[in-house]
Amino acid sequence: MESRLGWFGRQLAVAIIYGTAYMLLRKVGFAHFVPASGLKLAVLLLTPRRYWPALLVSETLLLAYDLYDGVAMFGWAFYLASIVPPIALLMAVVGLCQDRLPGAAFPDIRLGSVLVCIFGASVVLVADGLMVASLMPEAARFGRKPLTDLVSDYFLGTYSGMLAVVPLALAGAQQWYEQRSLRGVWLANRSLLQASLITVMAMSIEVLALSGTQDTALRFVGQAVLFVPAAYFAITWGWKGAAVIGAIASFGIVALMPEMFDIATLMTQTMMALFLTISTVLGMQTTRLEHALAAVDDQLDKARLEQHLAEMKLQRSSFELAYVSGELARAHRHLLIQLDHSPNRGEVDTYKRALTMTTSRLKELADALSPPMGAGHPHALSEGPLVQVLDALGIAYHANVHGQWSRLPRNTLTLLYRLACEAVTYLLKECPSDRIALTTDTHSTDSGTTIHLSVRSEGVPIAPPAQDKITKGLGTLGLGLGELRLRAQLFNGDVVVDGRSVQVTLRQELTVPRFD
């Protein structure tokens, strides 16, 4: 379409669209609420700089035509100053912000940078407005306020007008940039748009009901009611929700302003500016928190997958070791047959003992890496290498396994088995005894299952066994308490050492993916 319009056609289209929107918002605004200033800033933040000349020409022509009748009343000096397009000043502000602040250029928008840009643009427009107002001849005759009083009026009007328009425009542009169709925008933001339509209808009814009253106190109550949905929108939908509710509430509040009381209007405008700022910041922080939580969940999912893949590698290694053990056993039998007729029986016995020891060692390694029934098997804690290794060390072992283990994902069972082996290794190093007891229990709710694992050293203290026998027999790494906690945190769990016991708690939520 751009190629068909040509350069001049595109510039003309931008000028017409901007000019139409600018004139409509000028009719809505007044000194205490200037949404047209928000339109200027939003357009500059979203429009490529090659279209800025069209914006500049459009605003200049509109101001020159609209304010020409004021020449006879206020003179040429005031008229020429008034038709200097404020958007030209904002171009300098936006250009500076985009060059110096990260996140001030679309689509890489950061609300912190946008708020700084809004504040700077408000200051510039206030200065321009005061300069124009100072050229008004016979100011007292036309009821113009002192310039010191106009500062607060102009700043609050410009600032609140920008806060009402700019975040909403950026949110809409971002959704269009991501979805590229109205249907996509609707599907991605259905709940927000539906809530916004309901809120608009409810606020319209309220404004219509109170617009006919002259009771200032009642109007203030009506304005306060318009703030009610703010927290819900900001917390539920982040800064997008804050942008939507800020725009809706600001126009509703303006419609209920008691314009005949200037002090009351100024107070209301101050409250509205504060409300819009807080809503935007709250929405920004909520969005950051949501992104941080999403990043944490993503990292946890990756860590769980890596843990599962590591377990699969261990199982494969155990299968390969078991295969090698079988091959050695066959080679052992073949060698015995070959040496059966050898007169040197001592050599035969030496080979036999070496092969037997090697085969036995490979079997131990295979069982340590993955027990015969599998590290994810419900009986791995009561029938796995734990029993064999502790029995070989002369340490009594008692396992009391309770819970619906068959319903747990295999990767959770595998993690519990590994943590149990590491806990036994830790206890035999720090507080060894001649008896180790292991207890498990599960507690199921609608949201998931909580698994408790307790490993206790409850016998008579003994000398610490050789660590290499334990680590090799159980396939452990001798991890410390910090590393055990990190493993448990993969499944929203924790590890606590209480005297001579290690307590492990895992929370298996229903949303945790199954990798088996």
Side-chain angles (χ1 to χ4, degrees), residues 314 364-365 367-370 385 389 417-418 421-422 425 468-478 487:
L314 289 177
E364 290 178 0
L365 287 174
D367 290 347
L369 291 174
S370 182
V389 172
Y417 174 78
R418 297 300 180 198
C421 291
E422 291 290 352
T425 304
D468 60 334
K469 292 184 179 180
I470 300 173
T471 55
K472 291 178 181 179
L474 299 180
T476 60
L477 300 174
R487 281 195 177 187

Side-chain angles (χ1 to χ4, degrees), residues 319-364:
F319 295 151
E320 292 175 350
L321 286 173
Y323 175 77
V324 171
S325 177
E327 290 297 315
L328 281 175
R330 285 191 290 272
H332 181 196
R333 291 192 298 270
H334 179 72
L335 184 59
L336 289 179
I337 294 173
Q338 295 293 327
L339 297 177
D340 187 50
H341 303 292
S342 173
N344 190 349
R345 302 305 303 176
E347 182 180 357
V348 173
D349 292 339
T350 299
Y351 279 119
K352 182 178 180 180
R353 285 194 299 272
L355 287 172
T356 301
M357 291 178 60
T358 302
T359 303
S360 175
R361 181 60 187 143
L362 287 173
K363 184 177 183 301
E364 290 178 0

